[in-house]
Amino acid sequence: MNNIIWKIKSFEEITTSELYEIIKARVDVFVVEQDCPYPDLDDYDQKALHLWAEQDQKVLAYCRIFNQGIKYPETSIGRVLTTEKGRGKNFGKQLIQYAVETIENRFRTSEIRISAQDYLLRFYSGFGFEDTGKKYLEDNIPHTEMFRK
């Protein structure tokens, strides 16, 4: 794997081609793979920082990052994914590491709240996220709210 490029952009900075690839990746993973019809275009993209790894203009890993007071009182990370092409190469770990560093550097806080799919609880706990005990079904997938101090 060479020519991996990491990008972080506001909504206004994203090109139409990049936006297309980001939405394609989100639909491929969340709607098609996880068989989950849900409104991906939720009017929050405009308020997010978008962080992703790409190779040959294709998204390998992606998430969006929110400042305090947008999704939660604290900062948050969401729409976390690794595409089929990007799996098994530790992009997920790099992605969360970069997202946490971005929040600490740009928003000057280490308090982050996320909504994690339950099968990823151990993954996120490796980054200091703790289970808040708040569990719920989101689009028929078990989720747990997690918090990092």
Side-chain angles (χ1 to χ4, degrees):
M1 297 291 280
N2 53 1
N3 303 3
I4 306 298
I5 301 166
W6 284 90
K7 295 184 174 179
I8 184 160
K9 296 186 174 191
S10 70
F11 186 76
E12 291 72 25
E13 294 167 328
I14 295 173
T15 67
T16 49
S17 299
E18 288 169 337
L19 183 63
Y20 181 89
E21 291 302 326
I22 285 168
I23 293 170
K24 183 179 190 315
R26 293 191 333 205
V27 168
D28 285 350
V29 172
F30 298 126
V31 180
V32 180
E33 280 182 30
Q34 297 185 355
D35 193 20
C36 190
Y38 79 106
D40 181 53
L41 302 178
D42 59 359
D43 292 320
Y44 278 103
D45 286 315
Q46 297 88 327
K47 302 178 180 97
L49 277 177
H50 300 264
L51 170 64
W52 75 98
E54 70 175 42
Q55 183 182 41
D56 304 323
Q57 282 82 52
K58 298 289 180 229
V59 173
L60 300 174
Y62 167 87
C63 72
R64 55 186 194 178
I65 300 167
F66 293 102
N67 202 350
Q68 294 145 320
I70 298 174
K71 289 288 235 183
Y72 299 102
E74 307 82 11
T75 63
S76 65
I77 303 167
R79 294 288 198 273
V80 177
L81 66 86
T82 306
T83 59
E84 203 170 349
K85 190 180 169 197
R87 290 188 191 136
K89 302 175 180 88
N90 276 333
F91 289 129
K93 284 190 172 147
Q94 279 180 273
L95 180 74
I96 299 303
Q97 194 57 53
Y98 288 155
V100 167
E101 287 170 12
T102 298
I103 286 171
E104 289 174 344
N105 293 328
R106 294 200 186 196
F107 303 139
R108 301 273 178 251
T109 180
S110 54
E111 289 193 350
I112 308 168
R113 194 173 298 274
I114 61 172
S115 172
Q117 291 188 9
D118 281 2
Y119 79 96
L120 290 169
L121 292 177
R122 276 191 47 227
F123 170 78
Y124 286 115
S125 68
F127 297 94
F129 286 92
E130 291 175 15
D131 186 333
T132 63
K134 186 175 171 193
K135 301 191 176 290
Y136 45 92
L137 276 179
E138 194 172 298
D139 306 311
N140 282 322
I141 297 173
H143 282 69
T144 298
E145 189 175 284
M146 299 186 84
F147 186 66
R148 182 180 186 274
K149 285 193 171 74

